[in-house]
Amino acid sequence: MRRLIAILTLACLCRSAPAAGIVRVVTRDPAGTPVADAVASLTLVGSPEALTVPKEPVAIVQRDQEFSPYVTAVVVGTRVVFPNRDTVQHHVYSVSAAKKFEIPLYIGDAAETIVFDRPGVVTLGCNIHDWMVAYVVVLSTPHFAKTDSGGSADLTSLPPGRYRLEVWHPRLSAKVDRELTVAEHDDTTQVISVTLRPDRRIRRAPDAGGADYR
Amino acid sequence: MIRHPLARRSTLAALALGLLSAGASVAADGPYVTTVATATWQDNITDAPSGDGVLGAFTLGSTTDVSWLASLGFSTLLTYGVESTLEICPRFSGLDSFSWGPRISWRHKLGVGPYAPFVTVGLEGSAVAFSDHERSRIEGVFTAGGGQRLNDAVQLLVDARAGTYNANDLVYGGNYVGANATLNWDVSGTWRIKLLGGWRSGDGVSNYAAQFVGGAWTPIDPGILNSPGWWHYVNTYNQPFTAFRLGIRTLSSGIGVCPAIGRHTSLALQFVRLDSKGYDRYADDVASASIVHRF
Ligand SMILES: [Cu+2]
């Protein structure tokens, strides 16, 4: 009898929470080279999903006068800390519309935690070291992942439904936005061809003269 | 004709004290070490007018800068440290020199982000010992400058300098003011093209080839003797010269390429033409190759 109840319960559970799907997004440039640091996100069309904000803040570290990681994807409401692991002070700022802030010169753990409370892309900089740059992609969907060095990002635990797939990268030349349907037990791969602009960053290497600073 | 530089030096000392006391109370980052090794060819190292006495020479130099940073406020930094330079001139060993001196500069960024302009004010002091003892000197320079990035590839830097120096021999002392502008254009992640322009006005030394006449060394071109100021015979250049301290105005223009070799190292190749007018007009073409490494 107990066994029968257990089987019936399991059957009910399966009906109320259909099996999740997986979408693997693979980004490549036109030459077929994998594109790392792209953020792939899936947003359920029509019905907004509840977001779970991580309890612990996400860390974007400053080390060897660079931000790490270069690209961070978070859900709206995530707290981010900026520990400085250098022996030189940094002055972290953003002038992006999605989050404007400044943490004036500090070393070690900054007292301030920044809450990214609006969706959008936030460009981070250091007001002392102009070459330092990083991006925070703030999303209003729980389904996102960043591509690895192989250009691959796995979006798992997807309830069946119709989704809008978006891909963002700091050097993306044209918006990537398409719709797809995820069915129960789906395990599909979306290969996205992206065209990237040249990697133009403010030069870090020293110069023989001029008002150079570090 | 030439003012004694003591008054100007006391002003520089007061400014240095002011800047140092501003930085004394804040914690500093560092030391940061930058080294530069340079090979330079000058086609008129004697700064001689065309005709007799134009001599070219290579110099090899090595500069080490050790500095500390202190933040004075939101976007304000104080940089201070010591720079030393060793220069060797294989052809004219009298020009071999070693210099050592402190420097301090205050830098403020007017706003936030890479496109905000910045301004700097600084002081540099140095003691320079030459193989030719009469050239050895102490020097103080007041600097002011600024920079503005026009986009992610182009940056304009300007600086103005006022300096005073006292040498063992009056011929090698003097005062000057100058201004320089540099346009850096990063055509790619590796390659930088530089356009350079400058102006300098003040004391300088021009060397005139000499001959032994009537028991004394005199310039072959006697017209220079009409110019006021100090002069005397020099044997730095392995042949007879007379060195004249003159009021000289120099315009410089140049071009350079500065490829990056990684994050911390660059090569810099530069060509600068210096057009000067003292008693006569003369030019000096300066070509240099440097390796810069920031540790
Ligand atoms: Cu920094």
Side-chain angles (χ1 to χ4, degrees):
Chain A
M1 185 62 187
R2 268 192 196 160
R3 204 170 164 191
L4 183 65
I5 291 170
I7 289 168
L8 284 172
T9 311
L10 196 62
C12 289
L13 276 175
C14 288
R15 192 169 281 259
S16 62
I22 297 172
V23 173
R24 169 167 296 153
V25 175
V26 176
T27 48
R28 300 198 187 288
D29 70 8
T33 311
V35 173
D37 286 325
V39 175
S41 63
L42 285 167
T43 308
L44 199 57
V45 176
S47 48
E49 290 179 272
L51 300 176
T52 308
V53 176
K55 283 199 185 77
E56 291 300 314
V58 170
I60 297 175
V61 176
Q62 298 137 68
R63 190 177 284 119
D64 187 27
Q65 297 175 28
E66 302 286 352
F67 287 110
S68 177
Y70 178 49
V71 172
T72 302
V74 298
V75 292
V76 171
T78 302
R79 291 178 303 138
V80 177
V81 289
F82 297 91
N84 176 359
R85 298 289 172 248
D86 279 328
T87 53
V88 51
Q89 300 186 85
H90 294 296
H91 176 165
V92 179
Y93 72 87
S94 153
V95 291
S96 302
K99 189 73 194 180
K100 287 185 182 13
F101 71 92
E102 274 187 82
I103 310 176
L105 289 156
Y106 68 98
I107 277 188
D109 294 318
E112 284 170 76
T113 298
I114 306 298
V115 180
F116 289 80
D117 45 11
R118 270 194 288 169
V121 175
V122 177
T123 305
L124 305 175
C126 169
N127 209 32
I128 306 300
H129 308 105
D130 283 344
W131 62 81
M132 288 175 67
V133 65
Y135 300 91
V136 182
V137 184
V138 189
L139 298 155
S140 45
T141 171
H143 313 296
F144 61 86
K146 191 174 81 170
T147 57
D148 56 20
S149 56
S152 178
D154 288 349
L155 293 99
T156 58
S157 310
L158 298 167
R162 186 112 189 109
Y163 287 88
R164 203 173 79 238
L165 168 65
E166 286 173 285
V167 175
W168 178 90
H169 185 275
R171 296 191 283 126
L172 203 62
S173 64
K175 204 176 167 190
V176 175
D177 191 344
R178 64 169 76 160
E179 285 204 3
L180 56 90
T181 301
V182 177
E184 284 186 38
H185 304 292
D186 251 5
D187 188 348
T188 59
T189 297
Q190 294 280 327
V191 178
I192 312 274
S193 180
V194 293
T195 306
L196 301 182
R197 286 180 275 112
D199 191 4
R200 292 310 309 261
R201 299 196 205 181
I202 284 168
R203 175 177 160 130
R204 174 173 178 176
D207 202 327
D212 216 10
Y213 56 89
R214 50 188 90 77
Chain B
M1 183 201 74
I2 293 157
R3 278 174 295 147
H4 199 274
L6 267 184
R8 193 176 290 189
R9 242 190 270 136
S10 59
T11 313
L12 290 175
L15 277 165
L17 274 175
L19 282 172
L20 275 170
S21 57
S25 60
V26 291
D29 300 332
Y32 296 97
V33 180
T34 305
T35 59
V36 186
T38 305
T40 305
W41 164 258
Q42 290 184 68
D43 75 349
N44 184 7
I45 201 165
T46 45
D47 287 321
S50 58
D52 294 324
V54 175
L55 299 178
F58 275 108
T59 50
L60 300 168
S62 169
T63 298
T64 302
D65 177 279
V66 180
S67 58
W68 286 261
L69 285 185
S71 56
L72 298 184
F74 214 47
S75 295
T76 309
L77 284 181
L78 191 72
T79 306
Y80 54 91
V82 171
E83 192 173 285
S84 55
T85 299
L86 178 68
E87 254 184 30
I88 303 290
C89 181
R91 186 173 180 192
F92 306 121
S93 62
L95 298 179
D96 293 353
S97 67
F98 178 75
S99 77
W100 184 93
R103 47 210 52 213
I104 185 164
S105 96
W106 173 94
R107 171 179 167 267
H108 182 72
K109 200 169 190 180
L110 302 155
V112 172
Y115 305 110
F118 69 88
V119 291
T120 62
V121 175
L123 288 169
E124 298 171 5
S126 50
V128 192
F130 278 90
S131 266
D132 268 359
H133 186 60
E134 61 187 16
R135 295 171 183 267
S136 297
R137 63 174 191 256
I138 55 164
E139 183 171 356
V141 185
F142 170 77
T143 64
Q148 168 78 68
R149 228 180 264 287
L150 308 177
N151 55 48
D152 59 3
V154 180
Q155 187 180 31
L156 179 67
L157 301 168
V158 291
D159 77 272
R161 306 169 72 80
T164 180
Y165 48 107
N166 231 12
N168 282 337
D169 189 295
L170 278 173
V171 167
Y172 298 105
N175 306 299
Y176 70 92
V177 291
N180 293 289
T182 305
L183 190 76
N184 289 327
W185 177 30
D186 295 324
V187 289
S188 73
T190 299
W191 291 91
R192 166 173 288 182
I193 292 175
K194 301 169 73 68
L195 297 176
L196 309 145
W199 164 85
R200 181 193 186 278
S201 179
D203 294 302
V205 174
S206 188
N207 292 282
Y208 285 73
Q211 58 188 349
F212 198 71
V213 177
W217 289 103
T218 55
I220 293 171
D221 171 8
I224 182 64
L225 292 172
N226 296 323
S227 83
W230 289 277
W231 67 278
H232 65 58
Y233 172 76
V234 285
N235 56 8
T236 308
Y237 302 106
N238 308 334
Q239 52 181 282
F241 272 94
T242 43
F244 284 79
R245 171 170 161 177
L246 304 165
I248 295 174
R249 192 164 297 162
T250 301
L251 288 174
S252 61
S253 53
I255 188 162
V257 288
C258 186
I261 309 167
R263 284 175 174 176
H264 298 273
T265 311
S266 294
L267 183 67
L269 306 169
Q270 204 162 284
F271 176 82
V272 176
R273 184 177 179 86
L274 304 165
D275 280 301
S276 299
K277 172 80 174 76
Y279 185 77
D280 292 296
R281 200 173 283 278
Y282 59 91
D284 184 18
D285 291 333
V286 183
S288 63
S290 308
I291 289 181
V292 191
H293 183 77
R294 193 155 61 200
F295 288 90

